[in-house]
């Protein structure tokens, strides 16, 4: 009924689990992150619900150490000055830490080094990493997006009825797509580079370099497709996408699930 195995019932009873915490637990289990009562209770008490952010951190640090570290950091002067409510201190600390971990990953920092993993002053380490990341992010994003281009082109390109789908080659292409079509895809660059979602361009065959419609793929499914000013696709595009999903998207998603 709850969508989890009966072995987790004692844990849920122990922490008097809320609906939000249950949703988080199911997402974590889906990511093969073990259910930990102390972690779930801590998340429940501090309104932390993003499984992706937690998974990113827990790849490098144990749940108990993460809780202990953020408890210590949240008592520092920096956090006390920025939170009107003591109940939000740990959530604020977690928000800064998960961003710090992402910066470190993108910058290639050695997160097996305790000095880097758990800096003495989290806010200062975050700001330094953020500054470095800002200087290098375009280069980093371009490298990541370019590395995926050939594989995505082979998997997803399909020319039919005067339409074609191609992936972006650079971060700049995604930003330019958003500018040309007056929608927000430019803000998806970091998510694309970090494989949190996929952006594909739908183009007219005779105008392969001119933005037409933009597609977001996440978890093997089309999340959204928008043209100029976020307009919905016309019947000709819907017809193309129906065939494309059957021939290109669904087979790839099935292979990924099997793997």
């Amino acid at each position: 009924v709850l969508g989890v195995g009966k072995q987790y019932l004692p844990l849920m009873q122990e922490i008097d689990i809320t609906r939000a915490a249950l949703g988080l637990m199911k997402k974590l289990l889906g990511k093969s992150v073990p259910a930990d009562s102390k972690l779930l209770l801590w998340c429940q008490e501090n309104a932390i619900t993003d499984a992706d952010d937690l998974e990113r951190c827990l790849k490098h640090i144990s749940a108990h150490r993460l809780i202990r570290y953020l408890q210590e950091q949240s008592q520092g002067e920096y956090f006390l000055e920025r939170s009107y409510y003591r109940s939000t201190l740990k959530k604020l600390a977690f928000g800064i830490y998960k961003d710090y971990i992402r910066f470190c990953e993108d910058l290639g920092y050695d997160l097996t080094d305790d000095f880097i993993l758990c800096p003495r002053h989290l806010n200062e380490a975050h700001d330094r990493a953020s500054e470095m990341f800002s200087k290098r992010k375009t280069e980093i994003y371009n490298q990541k997006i370019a590395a995926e281009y050939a594989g995505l082109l082979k998997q997803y390109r399909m020319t039919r009825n005067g339409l074609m789908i191609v992936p972006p080659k650079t971060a700049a292409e995604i930003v330019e797509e958003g500018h040309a079509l007056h929608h927000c895809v430019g803000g998806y660059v970091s998510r694309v580079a970090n494989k949190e979602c996929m952006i594909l361009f739908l183009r007219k065959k005779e105008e392969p370099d001119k933005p037409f419609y933009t597609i977001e793929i996440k978890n093997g499914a089309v999340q959204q497709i928008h043209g100029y000013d976020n307009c919905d696709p016309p019947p000709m595009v819907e017809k193309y996408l129906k065939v494309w999903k059957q021939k290109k998207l669904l087979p790839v998603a099935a292979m990924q699930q099997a793997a």
Side-chain angles (χ1 to χ4, degrees):
V1 172
L2 296 176
V4 295
K6 63 182 180 181
Q7 68 269 31
Y8 298 110
L9 182 59
L11 182 154
M12 293 188 287
Q13 292 173 324
E14 176 188 343
I15 67 173
D16 192 16
I17 199 164
T18 63
R19 180 176 295 182
L22 175 61
L24 175 63
M25 184 177 80
K26 290 195 286 188
K27 289 177 183 177
L28 290 175
L29 290 173
K31 295 174 177 293
S32 300
V33 177
D36 181 281
S37 61
K38 187 174 181 181
L39 174 66
L40 287 170
L41 181 60
W42 180 78
C43 291
Q44 185 169 278
E45 290 174 344
N46 295 287
I48 293 169
T49 59
D50 195 313
D52 291 335
D53 287 338
L54 271 171
E55 182 193 27
R56 174 175 285 108
C57 295
L58 294 175
K59 286 189 298 185
H60 306 288
I61 188 171
S62 70
H64 291 198
R65 188 178 182 192
L66 173 67
I67 293 170
R68 187 170 63 250
Y69 174 70
L70 294 181
Q71 170 68 27
E72 294 169 354
Q73 290 295 315
S74 67
Q75 300 308 307
E77 183 179 343
Y78 174 88
F79 293 95
L80 293 173
E81 289 178 349
R82 284 164 176 76
S83 182
Y84 293 106
Y85 303 101
R86 294 187 65 82
S87 60
T88 65
L89 290 174
K90 295 169 191 173
K91 185 175 183 179
L92 175 61
F94 176 71
I96 291 177
Y97 187 69
K98 56 97 172 173
D99 286 342
Y100 168 72
I101 291 296
R102 174 177 289 187
F103 292 148
C104 289
E105 287 181 341
D106 283 331
L107 289 165
Y109 288 176
D110 181 9
L111 285 166
T112 63
D113 186 332
D114 281 353
F115 180 79
I116 297 173
L117 181 62
C118 296
R120 181 174 296 179
H121 301 291
L122 173 59
N123 60 296
E124 295 177 5
H126 168 276
D127 290 348
R128 287 195 300 270
S130 177
E131 183 179 359
M132 288 294 297
F133 181 72
S134 294
K135 293 177 180 177
R136 291 182 53 191
K137 68 180 178 181
T138 301
E139 176 187 349
I140 293 169
Y141 288 163
N142 279 334
Q143 289 174 350
K144 289 185 174 184
I145 292 170
E148 297 295 315
Y149 174 77
L152 295 178
L153 187 66
K154 182 178 180 180
Q155 288 180 334
Y156 296 110
R157 183 169 183 172
M158 184 183 85
T159 302
R160 187 186 183 96
N161 297 334
L163 298 175
M164 59 189 290
I165 282 180
V166 294
K169 298 187 187 75
T170 65
E173 283 191 358
I174 298 176
V175 174
E176 289 165 4
E177 180 92 352
H179 289 169
L181 295 179
H182 290 192
H183 58 43
C184 63
V185 75
Y188 284 62
V189 168
S190 64
R191 289 180 240 181
V192 174
N194 291 308
K195 299 183 181 180
E196 295 172 17
C197 71
M198 185 194 313
I199 294 297
L200 298 172
F201 301 149
L202 176 64
R203 301 281 168 83
K204 294 180 180 179
K205 183 181 178 182
E206 65 271 19
E207 298 177 315
D209 298 320
K210 183 179 178 180
F212 183 44
Y213 275 83
T214 313
I215 306 168
E216 180 197 1
I217 309 293
K218 190 172 182 180
N219 299 324
V222 174
Q223 295 298 306
Q224 53 183 333
I225 172 168
H226 292 301
Y228 188 80
D229 262 349
N230 286 309
C231 69
D232 292 328
M236 61 173 278
V237 170
E238 292 280 14
K239 184 178 179 180
Y240 171 90
L241 285 174
K242 183 177 180 180
V243 177
W244 177 77
K245 289 177 186 177
Q246 293 174 343
K247 290 183 173 291
K248 295 292 184 176
L249 185 61
L250 295 179
V252 172
M255 286 190 296
Q256 290 173 342
Q257 288 179 353

